[in-house]
Amino acid sequence: MAEILFPALFLLLILGLPVAFAMAISVFAAIMLASSYQPLVVVKEMFSGLDSFPLLAVPFFILASEIMTGGAVTLAILRLAQSLVGHLRGGLGHANVVSSAMFAGISGSALADAAGPGTMMIRMMEKGGYDRPYASALTIASAVVGPIIPPSITMIIYAMQDQNVSVGSLFMAGILPGLVITLMVLLANAHVSKRRNYASGEPMPSIAEIARIALFALPALILIALIVGGIRFGIFTPTEASVIAVFYALFVGLFVYRSLRLRDLPGIVLRAALTSGAVLLILGAARAFAWVLIIESIPQFLAETIISWDLAPIVFLLAVNLLLLVFGLFMDPLPGVMILVPILAPISFALGIDPNHFAIIVIVNLTLGLTTPPVGSLIFVVSSTVGLRPSTLIREMPPFFVALATALVLITFIPILSTWLPAISGF
């Protein structure tokens, strides 16, 4: 079956078929042409992959993000980011990066960060004298932290594939690596801003003004502390946290910022349902794909082969980085996690690599694929919202590729960045 599965998948992806359909059709082809199983087993496995209580967190976090990222919430966080770093050279660019890090704690999605607040920051940067292609490229790079800083949909899916980690431990493990990525992108923006003489956005506000802006943004930022703190102290599970996030978002939107109206809710729920449906369709197809790999014993064979090579852990991690970067060129993070983690995670565990450290390496690698052609979902989302050709944005990306690669190297070679917070949090 594997001899049919992989060629069929790559052919369908090359033809431009959506990932979910490409995986499902390749599984159907493998079963019908090379096995005695009935095709109905594909549908059964797809539904089995979605029959999971922890998976309920995905649509609820998506709904909370849809509620929180509208109107006053977006402007409050953008104003706070601008007040903190807008006075520096390249200040509007810095505000773009900082606001992306803040929104990562609300949305859990790189694409949501880029399409929502990222688009607003591009317009602000263009009015402030920045080139639109550069502002767009910066938005693409800064949105990478969306799935790294908790909450993260990708981390929820990863934890379902690897029994050696939990959603809570991954949420804690992602905080410092997310801040490292943010710092590297800030440094890249500072370098380019100095070279191109991009001015600061505005004079530095007074401490009292910053405090006033921070107080206005506080209800939005509390959501991050509510999710991470509640999970850390065992008050609720990640799935329960996602439901609490929805009700908190409703409370903030309706009664604190008063930017949310009851007549807006049907449209918000519909958008969240469509996004959730797309994500869950990918997960169901990936579950069926992974099932074929398992019954063909491919993960076990690869694990035994690689372990027999007696590789040093760091050599294995370097090889995994290379593999995942190449894989990320052609596939989005969620199906990548579903397909690769059952194969690679047991090998890394057998080599003595901390499971949380390995998980963050995998998630960061696959997320970087959103910024690179030919798939590069972030490139196409941003290019469509600003009306520029993808090639125009790609020409502005090299400084940020260097920054993101540097962050990946630091995360790979300094395990404590991913292991310290889970350890002190009791995970």
Side-chain angles (χ1 to χ4, degrees):
M1 284 195 290
E3 294 174 356
I4 295 174
L5 184 72
F6 288 104
L9 175 64
F10 292 134
L11 176 61
L12 293 171
L13 290 175
I14 291 171
L15 292 176
L17 211 64
V19 171
F21 293 100
M23 286 193 293
I25 292 173
S26 62
V27 172
F28 269 114
I31 286 180
M32 294 179 67
L33 298 176
S35 81
S36 58
Y37 291 98
Q38 295 297 317
L40 189 62
V41 74
V42 180
V43 180
K44 171 186 173 298
E45 289 301 322
M46 291 180 69
F47 275 93
S48 297
L50 302 179
D51 185 17
S52 169
F53 180 75
L55 201 57
L56 285 173
V58 172
F60 281 115
F61 274 129
I62 290 173
L63 178 57
S65 170
E66 287 286 347
I67 297 171
M68 286 291 286
T69 54
V73 175
T74 301
L75 292 176
I77 291 182
L78 292 180
R79 287 178 59 198
L80 176 60
Q82 192 169 354
S83 70
L84 294 173
V85 294
H87 61 282
L88 303 173
R89 177 173 293 280
L92 284 175
H94 291 323
N96 190 338
V97 179
V98 173
S99 64
S100 289
M102 293 178 180
F103 273 106
I106 296 175
S107 70
S109 165
L111 297 179
D113 285 1
T119 302
M120 296 179 64
M121 279 304 310
I122 291 171
R123 291 197 293 266
M124 292 172 61
M125 290 178 66
E126 191 173 8
K127 290 179 181 178
Y130 292 75
D131 298 324
R132 191 196 302 180
Y134 174 76
S136 303
L138 177 61
T139 298
I140 291 170
S142 61
V144 167
V145 298
I148 312 302
I149 295 177
S152 166
I153 295 170
T154 308
M155 289 179 180
I156 295 171
I157 304 308
Y158 188 104
M160 295 175 61
Q161 309 305 312
D162 185 0
Q163 296 181 350
N164 294 309
V165 297
S166 65
V167 175
S169 71
L170 291 184
F171 278 9
M172 299 305 296
I175 295 175
L176 292 182
L179 295 178
V180 168
I181 293 172
T182 301
L183 176 60
M184 291 299 107
V185 177
L186 284 171
L187 292 175
N189 176 63
H191 172 72
V192 175
S193 297
K194 182 178 180 180
R195 193 179 67 203
R196 299 187 183 182
N197 198 30
Y198 289 139
S200 60
E202 57 187 26
M204 182 177 180
S206 65
I207 299 298
E209 179 69 9
I210 294 176
R212 186 185 66 80
I213 295 172
L215 185 63
F216 183 70
L218 186 61
L221 298 176
I222 283 177
L223 179 60
I224 307 170
L226 181 68
I227 294 170
V228 177
I231 295 172
R232 158 63 183 88
F233 293 106
I235 301 173
F236 39 70
T237 67
T239 306
E240 293 164 346
S242 67
V243 178
I244 291 171
V246 169
F247 282 99
Y248 180 81
L250 286 170
F251 173 77
V252 169
L254 290 171
F255 303 110
V256 179
Y257 291 118
R258 297 183 180 179
S259 60
L260 181 65
R261 296 165 296 183
L262 289 177
R263 65 174 178 267
D264 297 331
L265 290 179
I268 290 173
V269 172
L270 177 60
R271 290 196 301 273
L274 291 173
T275 303
S276 300
V279 171
L280 295 175
L281 182 60
I282 292 174
L283 296 180
R287 166 60 185 259
F289 193 93
W291 173 78
V292 174
L293 297 182
I294 292 171
I295 64 173
E296 289 284 273
S297 300
I298 293 175
Q300 299 92 316
F301 171 76
L302 290 177
E304 292 171 1
T305 302
I306 294 175
I307 292 172
S308 69
W309 292 344
D310 197 23
L311 297 176
I314 194 61
V315 176
F316 173 73
L317 288 179
L318 291 174
V320 166
N321 275 321
L322 181 60
L323 169 66
L324 293 175
L325 287 173
V326 173
F327 194 87
L329 295 175
F330 305 100
M331 189 166 287
D332 286 337
L334 289 182
V337 165
M338 294 284 288
I339 294 171
L340 293 177
V341 170
I343 298 174
L344 298 177
I347 302 173
S348 71
F349 186 73
L351 293 174
I353 299 169
D354 185 276
N356 289 306
H357 180 213
F358 184 75
I360 297 302
I361 291 174
V362 171
I363 293 170
V364 170
N365 267 290
L366 293 176
T367 304
L368 293 185
L370 296 174
T371 69
T372 55
V375 175
S377 300
L378 279 173
I379 296 174
F380 292 101
V381 166
V382 174
S383 67
S384 64
T385 59
V386 299
L388 294 173
R389 293 173 62 86
S391 58
T392 304
L393 306 188
I394 293 170
R395 283 195 292 269
E396 294 282 355
M397 288 297 297
F400 303 116
F401 287 146
V402 173
L404 295 173
T406 303
L408 178 59
V409 169
L410 292 174
I411 292 167
T412 301
F413 285 94
I414 308 178
I416 198 171
L417 291 173
S418 307
T419 59
W420 181 60
L421 284 180
I424 67 171
S425 300
F427 291 105

